[in-house]
Amino acid sequence: MSLIQSFLKVLVPLITSALVLAFWNRASLSSVPGTTTTVSEEHKPIIPSSGSWGTWFNSHQYTQPNTSQASGKDWNIFHHLGGNGPWVENIHEKAASRLEIPEGCSIDQVHLISRHGERYPTRSVGNRHLMFLRRIKDTGFALNGSLAFLQNWTYITDDPENDFGELTRTGPYAGTLSSFSKGVQFRTRYGHLIPNSIQTRLWASDSGHVIETARHFASGFFGLDWEVSYKAELQIIPETFERGADTLTPGNTCHKYLEDTIHGHDNGQEALARFQESYTPAIADRLMHEGNFGLKELSSMEVYAMQEMCGFEIMARGSSPWCQVFTEQDWQHFEYARDLIHYYRAGPCNPYSGAMGWLWLNATTGLLRDGPEAGSLFFSFVHDGDIAPFITALGVLGSEEHLPITRVVADRMWRTSSILPMGTRVTLERMSCSAANDQSYVRVNINDRIMPLPFCKSGPGVSCSLGHFMDYVHQRRAEVGHFAEVCGLQGDAGSISFLHQK
């Protein structure tokens, strides 16, 4: 492929996505995703990546985002999709209200671990959707009430064989667009850290939509010519078992986590299934009594699949009639179901999670200790199941809580919608502060909001002194266990060796 062809391959989709976004912002708000039967007409959309642009351009002109969704005012479905929807700004109750860099401080090193951008369903999830839709069609009955739209509705892709698992490329929430925009946003805040003399490495786990996310991000951050001009180099890290601890995807290399059917990876799916049984039957009964007895019955997984299609269609088309099928309470149940699957599969309630997440935390802490001499920019791209263990190891949400699987806990700390949406970005900022005797500090930014560390937040801008942070990470190793031992790996499992710039 010629240089011009390579350039156009990147440029044309980005220009197309930008035009789509510009058109969409001028469109009527009448088809805003997230409006349910109980939502007022005053509901406003969330424009992708816009939540804190004012802060990133001018950090002193920041207004705290409206977090009234929890109280039912201006309710927005984006905060209840449990990671199954477009990126949305963090509204966690523990998040700080300001994002600006503290006076007298400057950022000299940045670490990003990011989830891939908005995508189509995975093959297994998408095939489950298609199976359900095929069953509806085979009944031959016309649907009524909330499901009447299905008479003229088509699935979110007409080419599932090629689209499943790939980034979405259309609409205002396209994964290609959001990934590029994220790169531009990071360039706005961290552009001063781009080195002049060396090629910057960035890393992606070996998955198509993860790699594509990293490439679009790099185009936004370094420029469209980042490869041909040798500004940056993307290194692909295999997701294979033999990598041991030298990996971005420890869930694929932790033997016991994969084999333990009770407490390992499958723990989350079991928690999800049990909670589904507590809330989906009432929804199924309501939909059947809308004149849809021809369906004979709706299983818990079919109800859940209908809720899934709301978020996935938004990411491909910008809106979805599936969102109107369900009430606010239905969506709060779905949100909790999504919280449970992540919390028990790779979050604080999984006994292997902390040890898996400590790998990236430890490697990053070493670079924070060495400072900008070791490099100033470190960008890694992975899956949600790789970020959840890191958040667990870091302990940013405080002490572990018990999430029951038979009822919703309203005041829970773990909220997947805020911490693990599509395109999640968890950033560690190293700051040097002249006002504090040139000491170094660390801050955690999750989806454009600073999350104070519960164990240490007395530094400038609710940061933590680097020394205290390093001591804490060392302590966490003793608490979460050694990766090789916890995972039952024989011999030396190694450690992350690729995370360096020189």
Side-chain angles (χ1 to χ4, degrees):
M1 182 179 293
S2 68
L3 176 60
I4 294 177
Q5 288 176 314
S6 300
F7 182 77
L8 290 175
K9 184 179 180 181
V10 175
L11 181 61
V12 172
L14 293 176
I15 293 176
T16 302
S17 296
L19 291 172
V20 167
L21 180 58
F23 170 79
W24 198 274
N25 287 344
R26 290 170 170 80
S28 168
L29 298 182
S30 60
S31 62
V32 170
T35 304
T36 70
T37 56
T38 57
V39 179
S40 72
E41 293 181 357
E42 296 178 354
H43 175 82
K44 297 296 189 294
I46 294 180
I47 303 303
S49 300
S50 70
S52 57
W53 261 115
T55 308
W56 290 66
F57 278 124
N58 188 336
S59 61
H60 295 287
Q61 295 181 358
Y62 178 73
T63 56
Q64 186 169 350
N66 184 352
T67 59
S68 59
Q69 286 86 353
S71 64
K73 300 177 181 178
D74 203 23
W75 191 88
N76 194 304
I77 197 173
F78 282 29
H79 295 287
H80 303 277
L81 292 174
N84 247 21
W87 180 88
V88 67
E89 190 176 34
N90 179 4
I91 61 167
H92 197 284
E93 63 181 67
K94 295 294 185 182
S97 61
R98 306 188 68 83
L99 185 60
E100 74 270 12
I101 303 166
E103 187 175 352
C105 298
S106 62
I107 298 173
D108 59 21
Q109 191 182 75
V110 172
H111 299 265
L112 166 71
I113 185 167
S114 174
R115 186 184 180 191
H116 55 75
E118 290 81 349
R119 59 165 173 76
Y120 289 98
T122 60
R123 193 166 301 279
S124 60
V125 171
N127 284 335
R128 175 158 46 80
H129 295 167
L130 293 175
M131 185 180 302
F132 167 60
L133 295 171
R134 193 174 302 115
R135 184 176 83 79
I136 292 177
K137 182 178 180 181
D138 290 345
T139 65
F141 289 96
L143 298 180
N144 302 289
S146 302
L147 300 179
F149 75 90
L150 282 170
Q151 305 299 341
N152 301 306
W153 184 80
T154 57
Y155 191 56
I156 58 178
T157 170
D158 58 4
D159 188 12
E161 184 65 28
N162 290 316
D163 284 344
F164 279 160
E166 299 301 316
L167 295 187
T168 54
R169 299 174 294 277
T170 55
Y173 307 105
T176 52
L177 174 61
S178 70
S179 300
F180 178 81
S181 296
K182 180 168 62 177
V184 175
Q185 198 171 11
F186 268 60
R187 175 68 177 247
T188 303
R189 187 173 177 90
Y190 306 119
H192 67 284
L193 297 178
I194 299 176
N196 295 319
S197 56
I198 64 170
Q199 185 181 44
T200 301
R201 296 190 182 104
L202 59 158
W203 301 269
S205 66
D206 193 6
S207 173
H209 54 269
V210 176
I211 295 171
E212 188 178 6
T213 296
R215 295 182 65 84
H216 283 292
F217 174 92
S219 294
F221 188 86
F222 296 104
L224 298 177
D225 64 341
W226 63 274
E227 286 185 286
V228 295
S229 65
Y230 302 102
K231 295 176 184 176
E233 173 194 6
L234 177 61
Q235 295 188 343
I236 311 302
I237 308 302
E239 298 184 348
T240 52
F241 176 79
E242 60 270 14
R243 295 286 301 188
D246 193 15
T247 182
L248 284 174
T249 51
N252 290 342
T253 66
C254 182
H255 178 71
K256 285 186 177 180
Y257 175 71
L258 296 170
E259 297 295 322
D260 186 345
T261 58
I262 304 299
H263 302 294
H265 177 276
D266 295 343
N267 193 10
Q269 193 64 40
E270 176 63 23
L272 170 66
R274 291 177 61 183
F275 182 70
Q276 284 175 333
E277 293 297 329
S278 73
Y279 86 91
T280 56
I283 299 175
D285 183 69
R286 183 181 76 232
L287 295 177
M288 295 289 286
H289 279 83
E290 290 180 358
N292 297 309
F293 290 105
L295 294 176
K296 297 183 179 179
E297 64 177 354
L298 287 170
S299 69
S300 291
M301 189 54 75
E302 287 176 332
V303 171
Y304 184 77
M306 288 190 277
Q307 291 186 292
E308 285 180 316
M309 283 190 278
C310 164
F312 281 117
E313 187 173 13
I314 288 174
M315 291 185 285
R317 292 173 174 165
S319 63
S320 173
W322 287 108
C323 304
Q324 283 83 23
V325 173
F326 305 96
T327 67
E328 288 185 14
Q329 184 180 53
D330 295 339
W331 286 116
Q332 287 163 356
H333 283 132
F334 179 78
E335 175 191 10
Y336 191 71
R338 296 289 304 168
D339 289 348
L340 288 176
I341 191 171
H342 287 286
Y343 195 75
Y344 283 87
R345 183 176 68 186
C349 211
N350 188 289
Y352 304 99
S353 179
M356 295 192 301
W358 190 83
L359 296 177
W360 196 84
L361 174 60
N362 180 56
T364 298
T365 301
L367 294 165
L368 289 167
R369 176 199 62 212
D370 295 342
E373 293 76 16
S376 55
L377 298 169
F378 296 86
F379 302 141
S380 300
F381 299 85
V382 292
H383 308 271
D384 53 1
D386 308 308
I387 300 176
F390 168 68
I391 292 175
T392 300
L394 183 60
V396 66
L397 299 181
S399 59
E400 297 178 7
E401 57 185 336
H402 173 68
L403 293 186
I405 55 179
T406 56
R407 60 180 176 84
V408 175
V409 177
D411 60 348
R412 63 193 180 276
M413 291 294 100
W414 185 274
R415 292 186 178 273
T416 306
S417 297
S418 272
I419 60 177
L420 284 176
M422 297 281 183
T424 285
R425 38 196 187 251
V426 181
T427 308
L428 274 64
E429 297 177 334
R430 184 186 190 273
M431 301 188 304
S432 294
C433 300
S434 58
N437 300 319
D438 291 323
Q439 289 191 54
S440 295
Y441 295 85
V442 178
R443 290 202 307 180
V444 179
N445 180 343
I446 299 181
N447 295 320
D448 292 4
R449 298 289 298 282
I450 300 299
M451 292 290 289
L453 297 168
F455 55 87
C456 178
K457 51 186 175 182
S458 60
V462 294
S463 62
C464 178
S465 70
L466 179 56
H468 192 164
F469 184 83
M470 291 170 56
D471 290 342
Y472 171 77
V473 172
H474 180 74
Q475 172 191 326
R476 283 296 283 166
R477 182 186 184 280
E479 295 171 351
V480 302
H482 189 275
F483 179 76
E485 296 175 2
V486 171
C487 294
L489 300 179
Q490 301 297 319
D492 183 9
S495 60
I496 292 180
S497 64
F498 52 82
L499 209 60
H500 58 85
Q501 291 294 2
K502 297 180 179 180

